[in-house]
Amino acid sequence: SIACGERDKANISAARELESILPQARLTVIRGAGHEINSEAPGETARFIIQALGGNIKSYQLIFILKIVIRNI
């Protein structure tokens, strides 16, 4: 899984290229976010991570993901 902010001008092209090169890769463009998707769109970033993990997560893993996404927990 690949995530990139829609306003991340430096990396969006590379993210699209990775998606085309890697056969099982799927690009998720985080709307309204630039380079720092975790601080600019924390909810959407958390959803991306959970989806990338297949939705099979335990509560302690969810807490860890939220700590990563929202740095000030």
Side-chain angles (χ1 to χ4, degrees), residues 6-63:
E6 73 177 341
R7 295 183 296 113
D8 187 349
K9 303 295 183 201
N11 295 305
I12 193 73
S13 295
R16 288 189 173 120
E17 185 175 349
L18 271 175
E19 181 184 34
S20 70
I21 292 170
L22 301 172
Q24 295 180 340
R26 182 174 156 255
L27 172 63
T28 298
V29 176
I30 306 293
R31 296 175 194 216
H35 183 69
E36 294 186 22
I37 61 174
N38 62 318
S39 62
E40 296 173 14
E44 203 168 334
T45 302
R47 280 188 289 280
F48 165 78
I49 294 169
I50 292 165
Q51 183 180 18
L53 293 173
N56 299 320
I57 62 170
K58 309 244 185 269
S59 59
Y60 69 88
Q61 292 170 314
L62 179 58
I63 292 168

